[in-house]
Amino acid sequence: MTTGRLPDHEQRILDEMERALRRDRRLDRRLRTGRLRRRPDLSRVTHYRPHVLTVGLLLAVSIALLVTGIVTSRPAVIWTFAAVWPLTLFAVFRLVCRWTER
């Protein structure tokens, strides 16, 4: 099959099919919502390679939040620490794994 232009009658049929698909609202809605419900791509998470500076910054922020939370006992600081700490542990783990692969 050549990669040239379609014959005129096939091009008309193709154009008519495209117009009909564009008018189909149910199909359009399904295609739009189907993309939003897609599962997260976990391969991006497993291939995360943090830099030493990023891990250092996360550790510094986590320690500062920990100390501030202990001193002030404010719920907002404690919840912020609770959100940042798992990210810090994951980044440290990935950095250590990267160092041990060499």
Side-chain angles (χ1 to χ4, degrees):
M1 184 173 189
T2 62
T3 58
R5 182 167 154 65
L6 290 174
D8 288 337
H9 69 282
E10 289 180 0
Q11 186 65 45
R12 273 185 266 127
I13 294 170
L14 181 62
D15 291 340
E16 185 179 321
M17 289 170 55
E18 288 175 349
R19 277 193 298 273
L21 288 173
R22 274 190 232 113
R23 286 190 305 258
D24 190 353
R25 290 183 182 166
R26 187 183 307 163
L27 176 65
D28 183 49
R29 187 174 348 133
R30 274 187 154 175
L31 290 175
R32 268 188 287 132
T33 58
R35 279 182 256 142
L36 296 176
R37 293 182 186 168
R38 193 178 73 182
R39 293 182 180 148
D41 185 14
L42 294 179
S43 66
R44 291 180 56 200
V45 174
T46 59
H47 288 71
Y48 174 63
R49 298 180 63 135
H51 295 286
V52 177
L53 293 175
T54 305
V55 174
L57 179 67
L58 280 171
L59 279 171
V61 168
S62 295
I63 291 170
L65 286 170
L66 175 67
V67 171
T68 306
I70 291 172
V71 171
T72 64
S73 297
R74 289 189 172 182
V77 176
I78 295 170
W79 281 106
T80 306
F81 170 75
V84 172
W85 182 242
L87 299 174
T88 304
L89 287 178
F90 180 71
V92 167
F93 177 74
R94 292 299 298 168
L95 185 65
V96 170
C97 286
R98 188 175 75 187
W99 284 345
T100 58
E101 286 176 355
R102 294 181 185 171

